[in-house]
Amino acid sequence: MNKLKVGLIVVMLAIIAIVGGYATYTYNPGSSNGTVKITDMADRTVYVPAEITKVLSTSPPSTNTIYMIAPDKLGGWNSNLTNEQKKYIPSKYQELPVIGGWYSTFQGNPENFISQNPSIILYDKANLGNSSVDIDNLQQMMGSIPVVEIENSLNATNYTGAIQFTGKLLGETEKANELVDFYENVLTQVNTTVSTIPEDQKVRVYYAEGAAGLQTDPSGSPHSQLIDICGGVNVAQVPLKGGNGMSEVNMEQVLQWNPDVIITNNPQFYSKVYTNSSWQDVKAVKDKKVYLAPTTPLGWFDRPPGANVIIGIPWTAKVLYPDKFKNLNMTQLTKEFYSAFYHVNLTDEDVKYIMGNQTLD
């Protein structure tokens, strides 16, 4: 074998070892179907079936990632789908069983998982919650079903590794690369423009949560991170709250912060903010710059965290700096995102409905 061939083999082995976060990927003929030795995203060695046919996850961010990459291998949802969500999820996936999970304040039931006989179970370390289960405890609960750790939900500037890891694990590398291409393209476009905005010209933003709009998350929170990523200044001067976030504030604080733009994901707050006398002196309200982030089938801006907020990156950039992002066509991007990530094809009317008839293009 000549040196060129040897060199090519070494390169290919190196690629196999690192793509998607795998340190090793070795066939093990110890069982009838064979297993694959992998290193998960917590550097744990795990033996998984060579052919993975059904996957469950302990929390919504990684469940949603499975659905995006390999919907036919998803074995269940963590909670019931709403009627709104079902509008933009193909019917064949709507009736998957609801298995619960370990996230937020929810404590799952291992029997719900075991009874579905999955090939593997994904555990999302960054589940933002108060659930106390760790991966070692979870593996004990699940017996012989391999539990694989993935880290994908907290950092919207770093989804590539988790998407590629999941794609490799599930035998869907090409699909994972398609999603990564979309993600990295919009993130690069936004970063390139945002990096040129002087600090004194950045838009000041308040993230209004809850029906009264008097809960929020400051800079540094995964719930409000798109403000930072898209070049805004988060005005909330409150302690960073872990878990589900949503720090309580009062109207006097909001008036003092006096944001240029308000983003909310609460329809009740949005429907009343322009007629609520308490908010009339806030600059964003006076300037008609309150925006309702789309939430169908999953949040664009927040909740749950995860790859679903990728489409929220160009949306938030466009909300904050419409003149600087005229090149971002939200109708076209939304159609591309929903086709690639949610497996549905949208009409222009669908896009208008999802965006609440808020015109950004």
Side-chain angles (χ1 to χ4, degrees), residues 14 73 87 107 116 118 126 144 153 155 233 248 290 303-304 355 361:
K73 294 183 179 181
K87 288 179 182 178
Q107 296 291 335
Q116 295 301 320
S144 62
S153 62
N155 187 350
V233 175
E248 301 284 344
V290 181
R303 305 193 191 279
M355 294 180 63
D361 290 334

Side-chain angles (χ1 to χ4, degrees), residues 233-357:
V233 175
N234 189 327
V235 299
Q237 300 297 313
V238 295
L240 183 63
K241 187 176 180 180
N244 292 328
M246 299 183 72
S247 297
E248 301 284 344
V249 300
N250 58 54
M251 199 66 231
E252 288 73 19
Q253 287 174 296
V254 177
L255 288 167
Q256 182 179 3
W257 297 330
N258 201 26
D260 303 310
V261 168
I262 294 173
I263 293 173
T264 184
N265 59 7
N266 190 288
Q268 187 175 348
F269 169 75
Y270 180 75
S271 68
K272 296 178 180 179
V273 65
Y274 286 121
T275 57
N276 186 328
S277 60
S278 298
W279 289 81
Q280 296 312 297
D281 290 332
V282 178
K283 186 176 187 300
V285 176
K286 290 191 290 187
D287 293 344
K288 305 297 183 188
K289 291 186 177 180
V290 181
Y291 297 91
L292 179 63
T295 56
T296 302
L298 299 167
W300 285 24
F301 185 81
D302 182 24
R303 305 193 191 279
N308 46 285
V309 306
I310 289 172
I311 187 61
I313 295 172
W315 180 85
T316 304
K318 193 104 174 175
V319 161
L320 302 188
Y321 301 103
D323 291 339
K324 295 183 183 296
F325 289 102
K326 291 180 179 178
N327 61 316
L328 294 178
N329 184 316
M330 283 310 304
T331 297
Q332 185 60 37
L333 287 172
T334 302
K335 288 180 177 180
E336 291 176 12
F337 181 85
Y338 276 60
S339 176
F341 288 73
Y342 294 148
H343 321 293
V344 292
N345 295 318
L346 301 181
T347 65
D348 287 352
E349 289 304 311
D350 289 328
V351 175
K352 288 179 182 178
Y353 176 81
I354 290 167
M355 294 180 63
N357 291 312

Side-chain angles (χ1 to χ4, degrees), residues 55-81 85 89 93 96-103 113 120-124 126-127 150 152-153 166 170 298 304-308 341-343:
V55 190
L56 299 176
S57 170
T58 59
S59 64
S62 45
T63 294
N64 296 333
T65 301
I66 297 165
Y67 171 70
M68 293 168 182
I69 295 172
D72 291 331
K73 294 183 179 181
L74 179 64
W77 301 102
N78 301 112
S79 60
N80 289 303
L81 298 176
Q85 288 176 316
I89 293 177
Y93 308 118
L96 291 173
V98 176
I99 56 171
W102 288 262
Y103 60 98
F113 285 71
I120 61 169
I121 293 169
L122 291 190
Y123 168 80
D124 189 347
N127 63 19
I150 184 173
N152 75 335
S153 62
T166 306
L170 303 185
L298 299 167
N308 46 285
F341 288 73
Y342 294 148
H343 321 293

Side-chain angles (χ1 to χ4, degrees), residues 28-48:
N28 173 32
S31 66
S32 58
N33 294 323
T35 59
V36 172
K37 177 184 176 183
I38 68 166
T39 300
D40 70 10
M41 298 189 80
D43 292 326
R44 297 166 59 251
T45 296
V46 186
Y47 289 90
V48 301

Side-chain angles (χ1 to χ4, degrees), residues 118 225 297:
Q225 62 183 312

Side-chain angles (χ1 to χ4, degrees), residues 126-302:
N127 63 19
L128 278 180
N130 304 315
S131 274
S132 58
V133 68
D134 62 28
I135 194 163
D136 293 327
N137 291 336
L138 191 66
Q139 182 63 79
Q140 282 190 326
M141 294 179 194
M142 299 303 172
S144 62
I145 302 171
V147 178
V148 178
E149 184 162 324
I150 184 173
E151 299 180 8
N152 75 335
S153 62
L154 291 188
N155 187 350
T157 67
N158 192 30
Y159 288 148
T160 295
I163 294 173
Q164 289 181 333
F165 177 93
T166 306
K168 181 71 173 177
L169 179 65
L170 303 185
E172 296 289 348
T173 301
E174 185 175 342
K175 180 63 178 179
N177 288 340
E178 177 191 358
L179 303 190
V180 166
D181 286 346
F182 181 97
Y183 163 58
E184 293 187 346
N185 182 49
V186 295
L187 184 63
T188 298
Q189 287 187 69
V190 170
N191 283 341
T192 299
T193 298
V194 163
S195 65
T196 67
I197 302 174
E199 285 296 321
D200 62 356
Q201 294 180 24
K202 289 187 174 180
V203 173
R204 303 174 71 256
V205 188
Y206 174 69
Y207 177 29
E209 299 181 84
L214 294 177
Q215 293 170 299
T216 193
D217 287 289
S219 180
S221 167
H223 297 293
S224 60
Q225 62 183 312
L226 294 196
I227 295 173
D228 299 319
I229 291 170
C230 297
V233 175
N234 189 327
V235 299
Q237 300 297 313
V238 295
L240 183 63
K241 187 176 180 180
N244 292 328
M246 299 183 72
S247 297
E248 301 284 344
V249 300
N250 58 54
M251 199 66 231
E252 288 73 19
Q253 287 174 296
V254 177
L255 288 167
Q256 182 179 3
W257 297 330
N258 201 26
D260 303 310
V261 168
I262 294 173
I263 293 173
T264 184
N265 59 7
N266 190 288
Q268 187 175 348
F269 169 75
Y270 180 75
S271 68
K272 296 178 180 179
V273 65
Y274 286 121
T275 57
N276 186 328
S277 60
S278 298
W279 289 81
Q280 296 312 297
D281 290 332
V282 178
K283 186 176 187 300
V285 176
K286 290 191 290 187
D287 293 344
K288 305 297 183 188
K289 291 186 177 180
V290 181
Y291 297 91
L292 179 63
T295 56
T296 302
L298 299 167
W300 285 24
F301 185 81
D302 182 24

